[in-house]
Amino acid sequence: MADQPTASERFIQGILPENPVYRQLLGLCSTLAVTNGMKSAITMACSVAFVLICANVAISMIRDLLKPHLRIVVFTLIIAAFVTIADRVLAAYFYQMSKTLGPYIPLIIVNCIIICRCEVCASKQSVFIAASDALGQSLGFGLALSSIAVIREILGTGSLFGIHILPASWPDWVIMVLPPGAFITLGLLLGFVNWLAMRKSGGKI
Amino acid sequence: MNYLIDIFLISLSAAIINNFIFYYFVGCCPFIGVSRRVDMAFGMGCAVTFVITIAAFLSWGITTMVLMPGAPLSSFIAGFFVSKESAATVDLIALSYIVYIFAIAFSVQFVEMYMRKFFPALYKSFGVFLPLITTNCAILFACLTIMSNVAGVENPADAWDLGRSLVFSFFGGVGFTIAIVIMAGIREELDLCDIPEPFKGAAITLIIGGIISLAFMGFTGVDSGIRNAITPVQEAAMLESVVPVQTAMVEPNLQQKIRGIND
């Protein structure tokens, strides 16, 4: 275990150097689908954070009992249980939001970020490290979602969190809140992040 | 006749108008990752279509028989333990996600074993993609859509039957195949292009995906247009027989629900 990263390293890596969306390209379905407004993006990020932290901690606690050939099934079942909790809570307290997000909350089950973190970190390291890793990754996911959502919501509707901030003469770029806007915004931002990384490391991605 | 129109519109909508990738964004991971060569993309698409149909069959059966409020099988079993009245209100819908994941994993396993035994050639061509499919969002998405159209509708007459569910998921898989093959074709050409260094790989794929999605948006409204063109004849026939116009078109509800995201 000597060469495994420590808790603080895991936490920092999740936010930018190993950002789940921009660097690892995981969880793109939810990223593309919910980022047409800040409210839905933040709800989604919170649900993913809840599921990721709980699943990572739970799996880290039982990591010595896991059999290699059954581990994916165990991961998926634990994740599905926590997603059910998140979905029920959302439906109970934020009914409108859960209607808006629709099938994308249950689709967290097959979100690759969570399975990837369970596999890479939680099934190998202790509870505290797994929790900080989950926290870092979910912060990174939240950052990525909100960076896309800010651009799409401002350009698409001229508002942020549903409050108008651009002058009324702004011609809403409706295409930005429709599916094509999601693909194009994420593509451009991804290129931008790659460019930043290349400049930092001197020409290498 | 009404049923046939319904089936046709559901299939058109699932395959082209509300394409799984370009409209609902499900199954983006293989779209970005696998779609490098046309034959591989086609194999992946076939595997997904195959599994999605079986998973839809399973999930429709499980939803109507076990999970739905007052489903026959679960209320029959509950009848042994509690009174008849409370047994009829058994609602297991909270378990649906766990059950669907099991059903999908089972059907992937089953398809893999069956193909290896009986169609070795087919297994060689797209068997390698099968394990990846368990975590493909498109399959779970199809199951969830079927669930919301079976258990979530207010009017029981609007609920999807087995035929509609199968058609929806099969053509959803066809739409997925169309999308991934188009993308693979473009990416084969893209290898010869001079792309700015930071955009190589996923970034340019996403931007192209956006442009194709823009093209697919041109189909919006085709289904309601076709329906309007057909229904006047229907309604005239309906009025004569004084049957209340019970159009079982579930599609607009579904579309409205998902379009809510865009508001």
Side-chain angles (χ1 to χ4, degrees):
Chain A
M1 288 285 168
D3 55 342
Q4 294 279 8
T6 60
S8 57
E9 274 171 21
R10 283 283 195 200
F11 179 74
I12 292 172
Q13 269 189 350
I15 299 178
L16 284 177
E18 279 186 22
N19 188 293
V21 175
Y22 288 126
R23 306 303 294 164
Q24 304 181 60
L25 292 173
L26 296 175
L28 290 181
C29 309
S30 42
T31 309
L32 291 168
V34 302
T35 50
N36 48 11
M38 274 304 270
K39 274 184 195 163
S40 50
I42 286 186
T43 319
M44 187 70 187
C46 291
S47 333
V48 169
F50 166 76
V51 176
L52 184 53
I53 292 170
C54 292
N56 249 12
V57 168
I59 286 164
S60 175
M61 282 196 278
I62 59 162
R63 67 185 186 281
D64 296 329
L65 303 173
L66 285 175
K67 300 275 179 292
H69 56 285
L70 283 178
R71 65 180 196 290
I72 300 287
V73 180
V74 175
F75 293 167
T76 318
L77 280 184
I78 290 176
I79 294 166
F82 284 118
V83 168
T84 310
I85 295 172
D87 184 55
R88 295 282 120 182
V89 169
L90 269 184
Y93 294 102
F94 305 95
Y95 183 70
Q96 206 50 49
M97 190 42 81
S98 99
K99 272 271 172 266
T100 312
L101 288 175
Y104 295 104
I105 291 289
L107 284 178
I108 296 175
I109 300 172
V110 284
N111 195 323
C112 336
I113 298 172
I114 300 173
I115 294 185
C116 170
R117 289 336 287 177
C118 293
E119 172 81 31
V120 171
C121 178
S123 60
K124 297 196 183 86
Q125 292 186 291
S126 68
V127 174
F128 177 65
I129 299 179
S132 72
D133 175 69
L135 207 62
Q137 291 285 335
S138 33
L139 267 179
F141 185 65
L143 262 178
L145 279 195
S146 27
S147 64
I148 304 166
V150 163
I151 294 177
R152 285 184 67 192
E153 195 177 356
I154 289 183
L155 292 183
T157 61
S159 55
L160 197 61
F161 289 102
I163 303 159
H164 271 275
I165 54 165
L166 290 183
S169 58
W170 173 257
D172 292 348
W173 296 5
V174 181
I175 204 70
M176 294 305 281
V177 289
L178 292 177
F183 282 108
I184 293 172
T185 314
L186 181 57
L188 291 176
L189 278 177
L190 195 59
F192 178 66
V193 171
N194 282 345
W195 178 72
L196 282 185
M198 273 168 67
R199 254 186 30 155
K200 213 169 147 195
S201 64
K204 279 258 161 54
I205 291 184
Chain B
M1 187 59 196
N2 216 347
Y3 186 73
L4 279 183
I5 295 168
D6 213 15
I7 291 281
F8 173 67
L9 288 177
I10 285 177
S11 62
L12 191 69
S13 159
I16 306 231
I17 301 165
N18 298 334
N19 188 288
F20 270 27
I21 288 182
F22 296 131
Y23 190 80
Y24 295 125
F25 310 107
V26 290
C28 280
C29 301
F31 179 67
I32 308 289
V34 181
S35 60
R36 280 179 203 282
R37 280 172 38 214
V38 170
D39 51 342
M40 273 173 73
F42 186 71
M44 181 77 188
C46 289
V48 167
T49 312
F50 204 51
V51 174
I52 209 170
T53 316
I54 293 172
F57 178 73
L58 284 177
S59 74
W60 186 86
I62 292 170
T63 313
T64 35
M65 292 297 162
V66 184
L67 294 175
M68 240 168 94
L73 200 63
S74 50
S75 46
F76 174 72
I77 293 173
F80 291 120
F81 304 105
V82 291
S83 67
K84 265 267 152 52
E85 291 79 45
S86 47
T89 58
V90 170
D91 183 359
L92 297 178
I93 215 82
L95 289 178
S96 51
Y97 305 153
I98 296 178
V99 174
Y100 289 156
I101 277 291
F102 253 122
I104 293 167
F106 165 77
S107 44
V108 170
Q109 259 327 305
F110 175 76
V111 167
E112 195 181 355
M113 278 169 5
Y114 184 80
M115 267 175 39
R116 201 184 316 178
K117 178 95 173 94
F118 293 104
F119 305 102
L122 205 62
Y123 180 76
K124 251 190 198 145
S125 62
F126 64 79
V128 282
F129 303 114
L130 280 171
L132 292 175
I133 290 174
T134 317
T135 53
N136 190 328
C137 341
I139 319 266
L140 186 62
F141 176 77
C143 292
L144 290 166
T145 311
I146 290 167
M147 181 190 89
S148 69
N149 277 299
V150 170
V153 289
E154 276 136 33
N155 184 357
D158 287 347
W160 278 6
D161 58 356
L162 183 57
R164 287 197 185 87
S165 312
L166 285 183
V167 163
F168 170 79
S169 45
F170 176 75
F171 280 95
V174 170
F176 179 85
T177 314
I178 294 173
I180 202 168
V181 167
I182 291 177
M183 197 62 225
I186 293 175
R187 277 180 90 165
E188 278 185 353
E189 298 292 317
L190 218 55
D191 288 344
L192 309 170
C193 295
D194 185 21
I195 305 159
E197 195 63 41
F199 280 92
K200 275 193 176 145
I204 194 75
T205 313
L206 282 165
I207 293 173
I208 293 171
I211 295 168
I212 305 174
S213 157
L214 208 58
F216 268 73
M217 267 184 67
F219 290 109
T220 312
V222 169
D223 51 347
S224 54
I226 293 176
R227 183 173 304 140
N228 289 344
I230 296 170
T231 30
V233 187
Q234 282 267 311
E235 270 171 14
M238 283 264 184
L239 284 176
E240 277 180 25
S241 56
V242 205
V243 177
V245 183
Q246 185 61 270
T247 41
M249 306 286 185
V250 192
E251 209 48 30
N253 298 345
L254 174 69
Q255 279 183 5
Q256 260 172 16
K257 230 177 273 170
I258 308 286
R259 288 237 168 86
I261 292 174
N262 293 334
D263 291 343

